[in-house]
Amino acid sequence: MAYRLSQKKKSLLIAIHVIALAAWIGGTLGMLLLGIYLYSAENAAQLTYTLASMEIIDENLLKYPALMTLLTGILLSLWTQWGLVKHYWVIVKLGLTMITILIGIFFLNKWTASLADWVEDLGFASLQDGGFHSTWLNMVTTSSFNLFCLLFMVFITYYKPFGKIKKRRAANTSNKLGS
């Protein structure tokens, strides 16, 4: 029999999971709002400190909470009755978690850094640069997608849609193959 958490340990792990998720959602929302604000900056100093704030949020309210959410989610699924591959909603959450983490690592982090480079090179004139605008739009759109995914995961946690994954019977499979 697999390891099962006591109610006290399960409650503690759920609390850590929810706090990490709340920080991740807050960080994502903060990045999105600062990203939107970035384009309405009135001078180079506003661009610089907004991007610096975004980098701090990225480092502290996105990376670590995202990884903690992933880790605690996997542990909760393995150590409770839900299982990692017993229910579609758990697999959907795992997939969306991985997608949003990978988007953050491979895209959002780099886009934020490249916007900071533009501002360092061009100053306030970077707002007129087509590449800056394109990167900014990608960042805002992708941040919106990530926020939607995180909120959707909260929704499916409570409603647990899609049902249970049905196991294939080995006997039925071997009979069909032998026929």
Side-chain angles (χ1 to χ4, degrees), residues 24-39:
W24 191 10
I25 289 172
T28 302
L29 183 59
M31 286 287 284
L32 178 59
L33 293 175
L34 284 172
I36 292 168
Y37 172 77
L38 181 70
Y39 215 75

Side-chain angles (χ1 to χ4, degrees), residues 56-67:
I56 290 169
I57 289 173
D58 182 41
E59 187 63 36
N60 297 294
L61 286 177
L62 292 180
K63 290 179 184 175
Y64 301 117
L67 293 175

Side-chain angles (χ1 to χ4, degrees), residues 82-158:
W82 299 113
L84 194 56
V85 291
K86 290 182 182 178
H87 300 269
Y88 286 109
W89 68 271
V90 175
I91 292 175
V92 168
K93 282 183 64 173
L94 179 62
L96 287 175
T97 299
M98 294 300 298
I99 287 168
T100 55
I101 288 172
L102 292 174
I103 285 171
I105 291 169
F106 293 112
F107 298 104
L108 291 173
N109 187 279
K110 290 181 175 140
W111 289 336
T112 304
S114 69
L115 291 176
D117 291 342
W118 254 300
V119 171
E120 188 176 315
D121 293 343
L122 300 176
F124 190 64
S126 58
L127 285 178
Q128 306 305 318
D129 187 275
F132 182 91
H133 178 75
S134 176
T135 302
W136 170 83
L137 189 59
N138 287 337
M139 186 184 64
V140 169
T141 304
T142 306
S143 293
S144 299
F145 172 78
N146 278 2
L147 183 61
F148 171 79
C149 288
L150 292 170
L151 295 175
F152 180 70
M153 286 188 276
V154 170
F155 176 81
I156 66 174
T157 297
Y158 288 99

